[in-house]
């Protein structure tokens, strides 16, 4: 009997030398295809893959399983960013969805499958639950013929048309780009160079160092980009995660710029420079900076649990300008209701070009306008049984004093979030994809932030008095 398969906040992932094998890929693809075939018989399903070993072969296998259900399986002819898959689905009225074989931001010894539905989004929690329930113990024997097609080019051409190419070309930007050995390598530099941006790409070829890097655009994994920006005298370092639905950045001094500030800059650009408006959707772990900026721009904002699928569900209601989460995944639903790390990089380039300012100058202005805070996350690794105990206990935890301070508000929306009278806060949340408890804190000072983080770790370990 096959292994139990459970989906996290964005699909299923497992070790390549463990449960991510042909049998389980067949079972997962079969479950999704059975639902698509029942609801949209004969529809098109797009299948993509990233740069990791075995990703292409397993995507081809998944495509044949999908085709076995009478669906038209269109397999990418090369590795692609996940946003390319979403774009093609969203812009093809004959498509009912797609699947992406990718390790995303996880270590290189992992692979996974992400689903996308007819609008290019990740689908509702109900859809994910349906797929889980449809997984059968034994792999299906159904197979069918597939079409191998160019999924990358139509998306990349459309991407370049979404920004002001003349403004960017006149600015003479010089950037470092780090795809973190992922599936945007080569693709995004080609788009940037077509806009006359000078690009220094690092980690553009798979080599021995790839196994040592976690392709997540946060510190310490962005150290090489920080050094490269200084060495090349670039105006910014721009980074995508392994499948390019997330974005990270480094300023011209080699200083990491966190995702909250990037979101705030892009949102401000859309409203002030492009004249757009609408609601903003933020994840529970987002910085107070993003809320201050949304308020200052006149954008009503709503807070959702961690995971872009919750932001997607809010986007489906309409009237949303932009949604984003702490991990650097930002989406603009007028493009498609999912994250697109490549588009976010182009918008940052457009912002720098239009203002004539470097990324560091833009961040300094942001801090001056809305106030700087200190934000950090700690990942606490625990045994699975301890995490499950904590998950059960968190809804009943209501501490009267934490780090010597009295919480003004307590939320159990997703884990435990405590808010204090100076806008500082603490969040504990067991990960949905890893054996970790994530502890977040933000405060006016580093010292207070760290005291809150220490207290959060104590709560997670059951040491709160």
């Amino acid at each position: 009997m096959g292994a139990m398969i459970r989906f996290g906040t964005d699909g299923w992932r497992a070790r390549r030398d463990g449960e991510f094998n042909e049998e389980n890929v067949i079972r997962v693809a079969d479950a999704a295809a059975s639902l698509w075939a029942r609801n949209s018989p004969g529809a098109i399903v797009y299948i993509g893959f990233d740069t990791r070993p075995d990703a292409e072969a397993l995507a081809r296998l998944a495509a044949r399983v999908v085709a076995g259900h009478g669906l038209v399986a269109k397999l990418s002819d090369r590795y692609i960013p996940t946003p390319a898959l979403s774009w093609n689905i969203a812009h093809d009225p004959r498509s009912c969805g797609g699947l992406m074989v990718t390790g995303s931001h996880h270590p290189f010894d992992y692979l996974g499958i992400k689903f996308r539905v007819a609008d290019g989004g990740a689908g509702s929690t109900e859809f994910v639950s349906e797929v889980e329930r449809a997984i059968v113990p034994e792999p299906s024997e159904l197979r069918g013929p597939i079409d191998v097609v160019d999924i990358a080019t139509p998306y990349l051409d459309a991407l370049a048309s979404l920004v002001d190419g003349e403004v960017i070309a006149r600015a003479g930007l010089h950037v470092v780009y780090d795809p973190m050995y992922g599936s945007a390598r080569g693709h995004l530099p080609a788009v940037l160079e077509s806009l006359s941006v000078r690009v220094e790409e690092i980690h553009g070829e798979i080599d021995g160092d790839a196994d040592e890097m976690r392709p997540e655009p946060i510190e310490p994994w962005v150290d090489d980009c920080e050094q490269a920006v200084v060495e090349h005298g670039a105006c910014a370092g721009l980074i995508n995660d392994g499948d390019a639905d997330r974005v990270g950045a480094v300023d011209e001094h080699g200083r990491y710029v966190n995702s909250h500030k990037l979101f705030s800059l892009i949102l401000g650009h859309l409203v002030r420079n492009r004249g757009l408006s609408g609601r903003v959707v933020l994840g529970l772990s987002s910085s107070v900076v993003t809320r201050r900026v949304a308020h200052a721009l006149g954008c009503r904002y709503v807070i959702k649990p961690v995971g872009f699928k919750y932001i997607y569900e809010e986007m489906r209601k309409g009237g949303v300008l932009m949604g984003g989460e702490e991990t650097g995944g930002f989406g603009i639903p007028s493009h498609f209701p999912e994250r697109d790390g490549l588009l976010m990089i182009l918008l940052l380039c457009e912002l720098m070009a239009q203002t004539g300012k470097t990324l560091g100058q833009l961040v300094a202005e942001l801090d001056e306008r809305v106030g700087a805070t200190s934000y950090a996350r700690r990942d606490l690794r625990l045994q699975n049984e301890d995490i499950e105990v904590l998950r059960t206990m968190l809804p009943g935890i209501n501490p009267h004093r934490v780090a010597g301070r009295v919480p003004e508000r307590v939320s159990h929306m997703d884990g435990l979030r405590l808010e204090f009278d100076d806008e500082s806060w603490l969040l504990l949340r067991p990960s949905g994809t890893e054996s970790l408890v994530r502890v977040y804190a933000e405060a006016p000072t580093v010292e207070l932030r760290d005291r809150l983080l220490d207290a959060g770790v104590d709560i997670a370990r059951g040491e709160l008095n």
Side-chain angles (χ1 to χ4, degrees), residues 198-237:
R198 182 180 165 198
V199 184
E200 314 285 350
E201 186 180 40
I202 64 172
H203 302 142
E205 296 292 335
I206 298 292
D207 59 30
D209 293 334
D211 289 339
E212 305 301 319
M213 172 183 279
R214 179 168 179 139
E216 187 171 9
I218 60 174
E219 295 181 312
W221 311 113
V222 298
D223 287 357
D224 288 352
C225 187
E226 291 172 344
Q227 294 171 18
V229 168
V230 175
E231 289 171 3
H232 290 285
C235 66

Side-chain angles (χ1 to χ4, degrees), residues 26-322:
I26 292 170
R27 292 170 64 214
V28 171
D30 177 63
S34 67
L35 296 178
W36 284 323
R38 184 179 69 204
N39 297 325
S40 306
I44 292 173
V45 175
Y46 287 93
I47 299 97
F49 54 90
D50 69 13
T51 57
R52 300 193 186 200
D54 304 323
E56 180 176 2
L58 291 171
R60 181 175 292 273
L61 174 60
R64 293 179 60 218
V65 173
V66 167
H69 285 265
L71 297 160
V72 178
K74 291 188 177 289
L75 175 69
S76 177
D77 63 357
R78 72 198 93 162
Y79 62 81
I80 55 168
T82 296
L85 185 81
S86 289
W87 187 91
N88 277 270
I89 295 167
H91 288 81
D92 187 344
R94 302 164 298 167
S95 177
C96 64
L99 60 85
M100 179 79 182
V101 177
T102 176
S104 187
H105 62 284
H106 297 288
F108 269 75
D109 52 352
Y110 283 83
L111 262 176
I113 291 179
K114 293 183 175 184
F115 294 114
R116 294 295 178 258
V117 295
D119 60 7
S124 65
T125 52
E126 290 78 14
F127 171 77
V128 173
S129 296
E130 275 193 278
V131 174
E132 278 189 348
R133 289 193 296 269
I135 295 174
V136 296
E138 300 299 328
S140 167
E141 298 293 332
L142 289 173
R143 302 289 188 274
I146 63 175
D147 296 333
V148 178
V149 299
D150 181 358
I151 292 177
T153 301
Y155 161 74
L156 295 171
D157 288 347
L159 203 61
S161 72
L162 296 176
V163 292
D164 190 330
E166 292 184 4
V167 167
I168 293 175
R170 286 198 300 268
L173 299 178
H174 178 201
V175 303
V176 170
Y177 175 61
D178 185 358
M180 307 191 96
Y181 300 111
S183 58
R185 64 188 176 106
H187 291 313
L188 185 63
V191 175
L192 289 171
E193 287 166 358
S194 75
L195 299 171
S196 300
V197 177
R198 182 180 165 198
V199 184
E200 314 285 350
E201 186 180 40
I202 64 172
H203 302 142
E205 296 292 335
I206 298 292
D207 59 30
D209 293 334
D211 289 339
E212 305 301 319
M213 172 183 279
R214 179 168 179 139
E216 187 171 9
I218 60 174
E219 295 181 312
W221 311 113
V222 298
D223 287 357
D224 288 352
C225 187
E226 291 172 344
Q227 294 171 18
V229 168
V230 175
E231 289 171 3
H232 290 285
C235 66
L238 304 167
I239 312 157
N240 286 132
D241 73 323
D243 69 329
D245 59 3
R246 300 183 181 189
V247 63
V250 171
D251 74 10
E252 68 274 20
H253 304 293
R255 298 177 300 205
Y256 174 66
V257 180
N258 71 38
S259 63
H260 315 285
K261 293 183 178 181
L262 295 180
F263 182 92
S264 299
L265 290 173
I266 295 168
L267 177 62
H269 177 50
L270 295 177
V271 174
R272 292 194 183 97
N273 301 329
R274 287 190 165 210
L276 302 178
S277 62
R279 292 185 298 126
V280 174
V281 191
L282 301 169
L284 185 65
S285 58
S286 61
S287 166
V288 296
V289 168
T290 57
R291 305 176 194 209
R292 291 173 185 171
V293 167
H295 177 75
L297 293 170
C299 298
R300 187 165 64 88
Y301 65 84
V302 60
I303 306 298
K304 305 302 289 185
V306 174
F308 204 85
K309 62 184 177 183
Y310 299 106
I311 295 174
Y312 163 79
E313 289 172 354
E314 191 68 25
M315 287 178 168
R316 291 178 64 195
K317 298 176 183 177
V320 172
L321 171 58
M322 186 175 177

